[in-house]
């Protein structure tokens, strides 16, 4: 067994704080890193030790693997947990961690290499007969040859970056006459975002749902799945609302997709926590999309329905321990929802909003969980992802989880910036979501900027408001008798303020 006594979390914000809490429960010493912009962040104050690794920009701080390894050597760190984002799926960094004699709390660099490239991932899973979206499963750069492939596959098609993620380097093409321009844009964006302009072509699945399966593997060949998460409510190909389990999967389909997810993990000898993503079409056919070789943002909903702490399981696996449970011992209990509370303006195309959290009061009560890294008075920095928190609710049924989410949204008090709370309320009350009859096109089909704007008052309400305004103005003009005014010279300043005397 590889014993971990001191863990460094190479991340920031809510995920850093979430990992630190589980590590503390396991009796581990903890180290946080931070940029100059995060000097007063909650994860910095929570850890046993914290070290600044550079200026605000990620490339100068959280992405500086060399500085992070220097901190580990200086403080006697045993292991690094990367969280998600930043260096979490960087195979070269994972190798450097291992070469430094440290434990990387995640999969092997080799597994990252295989699954980090969509084309190599497809090649790896072919031997396991995993369903794949029709298309070209190899990189292509020749535009004319690509056009022929697109014609064979049939429009609409997706041009996708091989090393992509988060919708970057992805272009939907409906007609041949726009193909060349869109391919050039995809290659350019992929090169800029990932340093790799390789693209491939897939048939565009109409009306798809985004279903992902959580997997967990150990170093002894044991791999299980922890059921699915529905992630179809998205903007810009990025998730906003997730739930577990999905409202449309039958037990038979769940078992089949779970088996495929385990096989995908087995194809790369996967260890630790990972997620296998699938597209589900309107005929309930599913296709392998990709594998994320890290902890997902939405992992809390899986924790709620399984009772497992995925961070603790990651740390146990990293120490060489076998999984303490088998597939047949796992079962879904209840239903969970997650709303990503972003500092974004849904009425302005979900553009990020920066500013100060003038008011910040978290919801509480039964079945409510808030994973965040902020408190009232803190600024939302411009340098990083605009997510403020993950609001999670759990109930015995989907309906109870929805009702609790609506209550929690109403209790959540945030002023100073625009957020996605109002959008979340809209989605959870929409008939398409309540019925479960929705897909990744929900925003396109059901949401506009006008949706969240308050309704204009009717004529009666407008007249009443005018009368009340006139009455208030009349009262303001009325003189106040000297005997009615409170004495300003007596008593404390607090009392004078309470009486309205200045």
């Amino acid at each position: 067994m590889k014993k971990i006594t001191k863990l460094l979390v190479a991340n920031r914000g809510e995920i850093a704080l979430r990992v630190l809490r589980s590590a503390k429960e396991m009796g581990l010493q903890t180290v946080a890193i931070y940029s100059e912009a995060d000097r007063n962040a909650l994860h910095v104050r929570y850890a046993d030790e914290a070290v600044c690794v550079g200026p605000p920009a990620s490339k100068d701080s959280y992405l500086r693997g060399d500085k992070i390894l220097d901190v580990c050597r200086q403080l006697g760190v045993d292991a690094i947990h990367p969280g998600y984002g930043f260096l979490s799926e960087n195979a070269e960094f994972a190798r450097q961690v291992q070469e430094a004699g440290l434990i990387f709390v995640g999969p092997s660099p080799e597994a990252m290499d295989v699954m980090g490239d969509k084309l190599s991932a497809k090649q790896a899973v072919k031997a396991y007969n995993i369903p794949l979206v029709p298309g070209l499963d190899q990189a292509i750069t020749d535009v004319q040859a690509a056009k022929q492939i697109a014609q064979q596959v049939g429009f609409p098609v997706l041009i996708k970056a091989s090393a992509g993620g988060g919708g970057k380097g992805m272009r939907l093409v409906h007609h041949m006459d726009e193909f060349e321009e869109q391919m050039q844009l995809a290659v350019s964006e992929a090169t800029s975002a990932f340093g790799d302009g390789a693209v491939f072509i897939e048939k565009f699945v109409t009306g798809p749902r985004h279903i992902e399966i959580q997997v967990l593997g150990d170093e002894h060949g044991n791999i299980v799945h922890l059921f699915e998460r529905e992630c179809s409510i998205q903007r810009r190909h990025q998730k906003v609302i997730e739930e577990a389990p999905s409202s449309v999967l039958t037990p038979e389909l769940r078992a089949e997709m779970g088996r495929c997810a385990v096989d995908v993990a087995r194809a790369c000898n996967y260890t630790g926590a990972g997620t296998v993503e699938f597209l589900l079409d309107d005929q309930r056919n599913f296709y392998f999309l990709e594998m994320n070789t890290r902890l997902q943002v939405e992992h809390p909903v899986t924790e709620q329905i399984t009772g497992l702490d995925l961070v603790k399981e990651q740390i146990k696996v990293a120490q060489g321990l076998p999984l303490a449970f088998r597939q047949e011992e796992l079962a879904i209990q209840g239903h969970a929802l997650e709303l990503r509370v972003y500092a974004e303006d849904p009425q302005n195309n979900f553009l990020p909003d920066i500013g100060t959290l003038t008011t910040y009061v978290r919801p509480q009560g039964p079945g409510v969980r808030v994973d965040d890294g902020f408190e009232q008075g803190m600024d939302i920095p411009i340098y990083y992802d605009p997510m403020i928190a993950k609001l999670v609710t759990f109930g015995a049924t989907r309906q109870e989880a929805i009702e609790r989410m609506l209550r929690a949204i109403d209790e959540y008090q945030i002023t100073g910036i625009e957020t996605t709370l109002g959008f979340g309320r809209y989605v959870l009350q929409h008939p398409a979501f309540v019925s479960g009859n929705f897909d990744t096109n929900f925003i396109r089909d059901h949401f506009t900027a006008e949706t969240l704007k308050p309704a204009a008052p009717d004529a009666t309400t407008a007249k009443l408001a005018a009368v009340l305004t006139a009455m208030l103005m009349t009262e303001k003009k009325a003189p106040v008798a000297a005997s009615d005014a409170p004495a300003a010279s007596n008593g404390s300043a607090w009392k004078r303020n309470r009486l309205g005397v200045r």
Side-chain angles (χ1 to χ4, degrees):
M1 176 177 169
K2 300 166 286 187
K3 181 68 174 174
I4 296 176
T5 59
K6 196 170 192 177
L7 178 74
L8 180 144
V9 181
N11 218 297
R12 65 177 298 277
E14 56 84 20
I15 186 57
L17 195 57
R18 187 261 171 278
V19 173
L20 289 167
R21 284 176 170 143
S22 286
K24 180 164 284 191
E25 289 180 13
M26 297 177 77
L28 305 182
Q29 298 175 57
T30 56
V31 178
I33 60 168
Y34 62 94
S35 72
E36 292 170 1
D38 282 337
R39 189 172 299 278
N40 297 315
L42 296 186
H43 77 281
V44 175
R45 286 181 265 158
Y46 188 87
D48 297 319
E49 298 173 89
V51 179
C52 182
V53 289
S58 300
K59 65 181 179 61
D60 299 321
S61 52
Y62 294 107
L63 291 173
R64 286 294 300 272
D66 56 338
K67 289 187 176 183
I68 293 170
L69 289 172
D70 283 343
V71 172
C72 291
R73 284 187 281 266
Q74 293 167 13
L75 300 183
V77 167
D78 305 308
I80 295 177
H81 193 300
Y84 45 69
F86 296 133
L87 296 169
S88 62
E89 293 181 282
N90 188 309
E92 183 55 34
F93 176 66
R95 285 191 185 91
Q96 291 171 1
V97 171
Q98 293 181 351
E99 290 168 0
L102 305 176
I103 297 171
F104 183 80
V105 182
S108 69
E110 293 74 24
M112 285 189 191
D113 281 333
V114 171
M115 291 300 165
D117 181 278
K118 291 183 175 65
L119 291 177
S120 65
K122 286 188 173 189
Q123 293 298 330
V125 304
K126 272 187 173 181
Y128 290 85
N129 295 317
I130 306 298
L132 300 174
V133 179
L136 182 68
D137 56 2
Q138 61 187 29
I140 190 166
T141 55
D142 184 277
V143 175
Q144 295 307 315
K147 283 184 176 181
Q148 292 181 10
I149 297 297
Q151 190 72 50
Q152 293 169 12
V153 171
F155 288 93
V157 298
L158 276 176
I159 303 172
K160 302 175 72 172
S162 176
K168 295 182 176 66
M170 181 187 298
R171 287 290 185 276
L172 173 60
V173 185
H174 292 278
H175 306 288
M176 180 63 78
D177 57 6
E178 61 181 351
F179 184 89
E180 186 168 343
E181 178 187 3
Q182 293 301 316
M183 181 169 172
Q184 290 171 350
L185 288 171
V187 170
S188 175
E189 188 173 319
T191 302
S192 175
F194 312 111
D196 182 352
V199 298
F200 63 101
I201 299 168
E202 280 185 348
K203 175 70 177 174
F204 178 66
V205 179
T206 57
R209 297 178 77 115
H210 188 133
I211 307 289
E212 60 188 29
I213 308 287
Q214 177 73 59
V215 295
L216 195 61
D218 64 24
E219 296 178 358
H220 307 276
N222 303 306
I223 304 175
V224 299
H225 71 83
L226 305 179
F227 313 109
E228 81 278 2
R229 296 186 289 256
E230 168 83 59
C231 307
S232 298
I233 305 296
Q234 305 178 359
R235 52 93 180 96
R236 296 192 293 274
H237 300 289
Q238 293 181 323
K239 307 156 192 171
V240 186
I241 295 176
E242 302 99 350
E243 63 179 309
S246 168
S247 61
V248 296
L249 261 60
T250 62
E252 295 76 20
L253 185 55
R254 177 175 294 118
E256 186 179 357
M257 293 181 74
R259 283 192 297 271
C260 283
V262 168
D263 284 341
V264 169
R266 208 173 295 284
C268 63
N269 297 315
Y270 197 84
T271 58
T275 298
V276 181
E277 303 199 351
F278 296 96
L279 287 180
L280 184 73
D281 69 17
D282 53 5
Q283 301 300 311
R284 300 298 183 262
N285 300 306
F286 66 90
Y287 308 96
F288 171 67
L289 187 61
E290 64 181 337
M291 184 178 192
N292 290 304
T293 55
R294 54 172 167 79
L295 197 66
Q296 291 281 88
V297 174
E298 58 273 18
H299 75 273
V301 293
T302 296
E303 294 184 326
Q304 296 299 125
I305 67 164
T306 61
L308 295 172
D309 183 321
L310 289 180
V311 172
K312 288 183 179 178
E313 295 302 326
Q314 284 184 297
I315 294 172
K316 290 175 185 175
V317 166
Q319 294 181 97
L321 293 171
L323 297 180
F325 41 82
R326 299 186 301 275
Q327 188 68 60
E328 57 269 24
E329 296 175 302
L330 298 168
I332 296 173
Q333 301 292 332
H335 200 98
L337 292 166
E338 176 180 293
L339 167 63
R340 300 190 191 187
V341 184
Y342 284 108
E344 293 180 347
D345 185 359
Q347 295 184 72
N348 191 17
N349 199 30
F350 292 88
L351 287 179
D353 192 25
I354 59 171
T356 301
L357 292 172
T358 308
T359 306
Y360 188 73
V361 181
R362 302 171 184 87
Q364 300 180 34
V368 176
R369 167 178 170 176
V370 179
D371 284 17
D372 65 6
F374 290 95
E375 60 186 3
Q376 188 164 291
M378 292 179 68
D379 292 329
I380 303 298
I382 195 173
Y383 310 100
Y384 315 115
D385 185 272
M387 188 168 67
I388 302 169
K390 299 183 305 196
L391 176 57
V392 182
T393 58
F394 175 76
T397 64
R398 185 173 189 261
Q399 182 60 33
E400 184 174 52
I402 290 174
E403 290 167 353
R404 282 182 168 161
M405 180 63 80
L406 290 170
R407 188 257 299 171
I409 289 172
D410 288 340
E411 287 184 12
Y412 217 144
Q413 298 177 42
I414 302 178
T415 63
I417 55 170
E418 298 295 330
T419 75
T420 50
L421 284 171
F423 171 75
R425 182 188 299 108
Y426 170 79
V427 173
L428 269 71
Q429 292 177 317
H430 196 281
F433 184 85
V434 173
S435 68
N437 184 25
F438 61 93
D439 56 37
T440 56
N441 298 312
F442 179 93
I443 289 179
R444 184 198 69 186
D445 295 342
H446 303 296
F447 181 78
T448 67
E450 302 296 318
T451 304
L452 299 182
K453 289 183 179 178
D458 56 31
T460 303
T461 303
K463 281 184 180 179
L464 181 58
V467 171
L468 289 172
T469 300
M471 291 173 62
L472 287 170
M473 294 299 293
T474 302
E475 287 181 7
K476 277 188 177 181
K477 292 177 182 177
V480 179
S483 58
D484 293 334
S489 59
N490 297 324
S492 68
W494 181 85
K495 286 183 178 178
R496 290 199 300 274
N497 287 338
R498 292 282 288 175
L499 292 169
V501 178
R502 297 291 183 267

